[in-house]
Amino acid sequence: MSAAPQPGRLIWDPASGAGRLSVEGDWTLAGFEALRREAGRFPAGAQVRAVDLSKLGALDTAGAALLVDLLGAERLPALIAAGPALDESRRALLATIIQAQAAVQAAQPPARPSPAAELLGRIGWAAEVFWKHGVGLCGFIGLTLETLLRSLFRPRSWRVTATIAQIEQIGLNAVPIVALLTFLVGAVVAFLGATVLRDFGATLYTINLVGFAFLREFAVLLTAILMAGRTASAFTAQIGSMKANEEIDAIRALGLDPINMLVLPRVLAMLVSLPALTFMSMLTGIAGGMVVCAWSLDIPPSLFLSTLRESLDVRHFYVGMVKAPVLAFVIAVIGCLEGFKVSGSAQSVGEHTTSSVVQAIFMVILIDALAALFFMEMGW
C-alpha cells in the first residue's frame, strides 16, 4: 500500500538567522492550489542561504516550477548545492525547469520603445544605411575608373561590340520616349509662360523662358531622370539575373574580369548616349515651345529662332551639356552596383532594381541642384 500524500510545506524560521529554508511534503499538481497559497505566505525579501530538501516527498513538473519561481532560477542551483544532497532525478527535473524558463524569457519580445526612441532609432538606421551606400558607391566608382584606365592600354580587352549594342539599347531605343516627353514639357513651359507673361504684356519673353530652361536645366534633367528609370533598372536587372544564375561566378572562374566585361560597356555606352539624348532634348523641347508660341502667341518660327539666337548666349548650352557626362556616369555605376548586390533570389532582384532607380533619380536631382547653384554663383 502506498503512503498517503503529505501536503507540501515551507519551514522558515527568520529568528534563527541561519537563512535555511526547509521544503517538506509532496509538491505535485494534485495539491497545486494549496502549494501556491503556501508559497504566497513566504516573505518576499527573505535572505535564503540554503535549502533543505531532505524531507521533500513527491515532486512533479508543476511543483518544481513553483519552487523555481519561489527561489529564483539564478539562485536555486547554488542553494541546492549548499543544502543536503538531492537525488539526481529531482536535480535533473529542477534543471530542466530552469532551462525551460530561461528559454521562454529569451524568446519573449523586447519591450516596445517609446515613440521618440523609435523615431531616433529609425533616423540613425537610415543615416547608417545612407553612409554605407555612399561608401560602397565611392568604392565602386574607384574600381570602375581603375579598370577603365588599365583597359586603355590593352586594346585587346576593349568590348567594342558590347558597347555598340548597349548604345543601341540605351540611346537609339530611347529616342522616341525622350523626344516625346521633352516636346510636351517644352509646350507646357511655353504655355505657362505665355499665360503668366500676357498679364504684363511681355509674351515675347516666353521665347527666353523656354530657351533658358531647356538649355540649362530641363533637357539634361528630364533626360537623366528618364535614363535613371529606364536604363539603371535595366542594368540592375541584367546583372542581378546573371548574379542569381551564378554566371558572374563562372566569369570569374574563367579568369575574366566582370567589371571589364559587364560594367565598362554599359558605362561607356551611357557616356555616349546621355549627352546625345540631352542635345536632342534641347532641340525637341525648344521645338515644343516654338509650336505653342506659333499657335497661341502668333509668333512665327523665324521670329522665334532669331530672338532665341540673339537673347541667349552659347554658354547656357555648355552649362547644360557639361552636366550630361557626370550624370551618365553616376546613373550607370549605380545601376551596375545594385546588380552586383543581388543575393540570388527573384525577390532580391526586384528589391535592388527598385533601389537602383530611387538612388539614381536622387543622385541626378542632387547633382543637378548643386551644379545649378555652382554655375549661378560663378555667373556662368
Side-chain angles (χ1 to χ4, degrees):
M1 237 180 123
S2 60
Q6 300 292 327
R9 293 189 307 162
L10 294 174
I11 307 300
W12 170 254
D13 185 10
S16 62
R20 181 179 294 272
L21 175 67
S22 297
V23 181
E24 302 178 357
D26 298 333
W27 287 70
T28 59
L29 182 61
F32 186 77
E33 290 298 328
L35 292 175
R36 191 162 59 177
R37 289 193 297 269
E38 181 72 15
R41 288 193 292 267
F42 184 75
Q47 297 295 326
V48 180
R49 295 184 177 87
V51 179
D52 183 7
L53 300 176
S54 59
K55 297 181 181 180
L56 178 64
L59 180 67
D60 62 4
T61 305
L66 193 58
L67 287 176
V68 171
D69 292 338
L70 177 66
L71 300 175
E74 297 82 3
R75 296 191 306 155
L76 186 57
L79 293 175
I80 294 175
L86 188 65
D87 58 275
E88 291 298 327
S89 61
R90 296 181 177 182
R91 190 183 299 272
L93 177 59
L94 291 172
T96 302
I97 297 296
I98 292 173
Q99 293 177 1
Q101 290 190 356
V104 170
Q105 293 177 357
Q108 289 179 353
R112 185 176 180 84
S114 64
E118 189 173 358
L119 177 61
L120 292 176
R122 287 182 177 272
I123 293 174
W125 175 81
E128 183 181 4
V129 171
F130 182 81
W131 172 257
K132 289 182 179 180
H133 278 300
V135 172
L137 180 61
C138 291
F140 193 75
I141 289 174
L143 181 61
T144 303
L145 292 176
E146 178 194 4
T147 307
L148 178 61
L149 292 176
R150 284 192 287 106
S151 65
L152 289 178
F153 303 100
R154 294 184 299 173
R156 290 186 178 181
S157 65
W158 295 355
R159 308 289 173 180
V160 179
T161 304
T163 303
I164 294 176
Q166 291 294 332
I167 290 175
E168 180 183 3
Q169 295 178 8
I170 296 169
L172 293 180
N173 294 345
V175 167
I177 182 64
V178 173
L180 177 62
L181 177 67
T182 51
F183 180 87
L184 294 177
V185 172
V188 171
V189 171
F191 181 77
L192 293 176
T195 303
V196 174
L197 295 175
R198 184 179 288 114
D199 298 334
F200 302 95
T203 54
L204 188 63
Y205 289 101
T206 304
I207 302 173
N208 302 65
L209 174 63
V210 173
F212 188 86
F214 271 86
L215 289 179
R216 292 186 68 99
E217 295 297 333
F218 279 0
V220 64
L221 184 61
L222 291 174
T223 305
I225 290 177
L226 274 177
M227 300 301 284
R230 180 182 181 272
T231 307
S233 60
F235 288 173
T236 303
Q238 292 167 1
I239 298 178
S241 299
M242 296 179 67
K243 182 75 176 298
N245 295 331
E246 299 182 356
E247 297 178 33
I248 295 180
D249 295 334
I251 291 174
R252 290 194 177 98
L254 293 174
L256 302 175
D257 186 6
I259 304 297
N260 189 25
M261 291 191 63
L262 303 177
V263 178
L264 288 187
R266 289 170 168 81
V267 171
L268 294 176
M270 183 68 84
L271 288 173
V272 173
S273 300
L274 187 57
L277 290 173
T278 300
F279 178 73
M280 185 199 68
S281 299
M282 293 178 180
L283 298 180
T284 54
I286 292 174
M290 183 171 60
V291 169
V292 171
C293 288
W295 174 61
S296 178
L297 303 178
D298 296 327
I299 299 176
S302 58
L303 178 60
F304 185 96
L305 294 176
S306 61
T307 304
L308 189 67
R309 183 175 62 252
E310 294 171 0
S311 60
L312 293 180
D313 193 73
V314 70
R315 61 186 173 87
H316 300 303
F317 170 77
Y318 294 147
V319 167
M321 290 299 298
V322 77
K323 293 184 285 188
V326 179
L327 298 179
F329 183 79
V330 171
I331 292 170
V333 168
I334 289 176
C336 296
L337 174 60
E338 290 299 313
F340 280 105
K341 289 182 179 180
V342 172
S343 61
S345 63
Q347 180 181 358
S348 179
V349 174
E351 291 174 352
H352 286 284
T353 300
T354 304
S355 177
S356 69
V357 174
V358 173
Q359 291 184 51
I361 293 177
F362 172 78
M363 291 301 297
V364 164
I365 297 175
L366 177 62
I367 293 173
D368 183 78
L370 294 177
L373 293 175
F374 173 77
F375 290 136
M376 286 296 181
E377 289 295 328
M378 296 297 296
W380 296 346

